Amino acid sequence: MSEYQYYEWQALERPLTAAEQAAVNNLSSHIDVTSSQVIVTYEWGDFKHDPIQVLAKYFDAHLYITNWGTRHLAFRFPGGLLDVKTIERYTDEDHIRIKTIGNVQILEIEINEDEGYDEWVDEHGLLSTLSRLRDHIMQGDYRALYLAWLKAMSLESDHYDEDEDDPDNFFNDPEPLLPAGLKQLTPPLKAFADFFEIDPYLISAASERSLDLSPLGQADFAPLISRLTRQECDDFLLKIVNSEPGAITALRKKLLSFEISTPKPETHQRTFGELLKTTEKLRQAESRRQTEEKHQKHIAEMQELAKREAQTWQEIENLVQIGSTAGNYDDATALLSKLQQLSEFQGTQANFMIRVRELGERYKKRTALIERLKRKGWI
């Protein structure tokens, strides 16, 4: 199987200029360039430039996918907009990183599955959905980062036993700041969880203590605007009319800083090991629910079949009498299998075996039918 690499970048704040499009077009002979999107694919060879440097210079969002198990999502933010100290609580060296390049900040989420992902994703249009998480993060919604932390920890914990005495054992690591709204994942967050194949039971376990998300945009900005200085008003207005990246977000952040924040109640930080135990309990509970649902469905099917038992035996007889065709014999065998299940449900297996043997005796010259009955162990 040939190697496949997919690179995509998107400009979200402003379109690329003609000069920028020309510069980007020269980065690869495999490249498709528009004013807002660039795609590069390789089946042989590699991209010769640093994708993150390309992101920092020209774009706002980047996606990289390979068919050997690498999935990489990165965003560029205007410098000074992010609460870096809070974001760093979700980061690690290998999977979630934040760094400054020039006057912008880059947030990367990179997950490498050594054995590959379970399913290939349709890369087309995916970044357009995932890029909406960039706005969430700028507004202080860190659900994507928490989900990424869950995935990173689950990968690392695969290398250790829970009781293993090792300083790198991740089971005792406390969770980072638990964001609100984990029970209310938006379509981009669902796409994010699907893209990185984050265990839905692990998400459910983590969300048990997550508060409901407060609706955005309910702050009364009118009295807050009056607290800006004349110079601050002029600076923000100039940035907004010039379409400067992040200008509106920066204004909202400044205004909300005037509000008196309500202290959040302290909650016990669960360890990743505790989350895994809850995950397993949820998985087992769902397995029991599905087993019970399947059992109840089987009961209903058998009760319905019991009403048509005589009719079903006659259908089998008719199928065999019609003629010696494989289709008829297959259909008759399938109906007999259903009647065998009914006999097990009713405790009448002996009666079933007697009737099948009688059927076999009546049509003992039908070799194809007899072979099917023998394969089932009925005669």
Side-chain angles (χ1 to χ4, degrees), residues 6 8 10 12 60-65 71-75 77 109 121-123 125-137 144 147 186-196:
Y6 177 88
E8 182 179 351
Q10 288 190 10
L12 306 173
D60 301 299
H62 168 57
L63 182 69
Y64 174 59
I65 308 173
R71 296 186 179 181
H72 189 183
L73 177 67
F75 297 123
F77 300 91
I109 300 169
V121 296
D122 182 3
E123 63 270 37
L126 179 60
L127 185 55
S128 296
T129 298
L130 295 177
S131 63
R132 291 158 61 187
L133 298 174
R134 179 176 178 270
D135 289 334
H136 293 185
I137 294 168
L147 293 177
T186 61
L189 284 168
K190 291 178 181 178
F192 180 89
D194 290 342
F195 176 59
F196 287 114

Side-chain angles (χ1 to χ4, degrees), residues 163-215:
D163 57 355
E164 188 173 340
D165 185 16
D166 189 301
D168 291 328
N169 193 327
F170 290 82
F171 283 91
N172 293 324
D173 281 15
E175 64 182 331
L177 180 67
L178 179 64
L182 280 180
K183 300 186 188 77
Q184 307 153 287
L185 297 184
T186 61
L189 284 168
K190 291 178 181 178
F192 180 89
D194 290 342
F195 176 59
F196 287 114
E197 293 188 358
I198 305 172
D199 185 347
Y201 294 103
L202 182 57
I203 297 174
S204 295
S207 70
E208 286 187 345
R209 295 186 183 178
S210 177
L211 302 176
D212 289 340
L213 192 65
S214 299

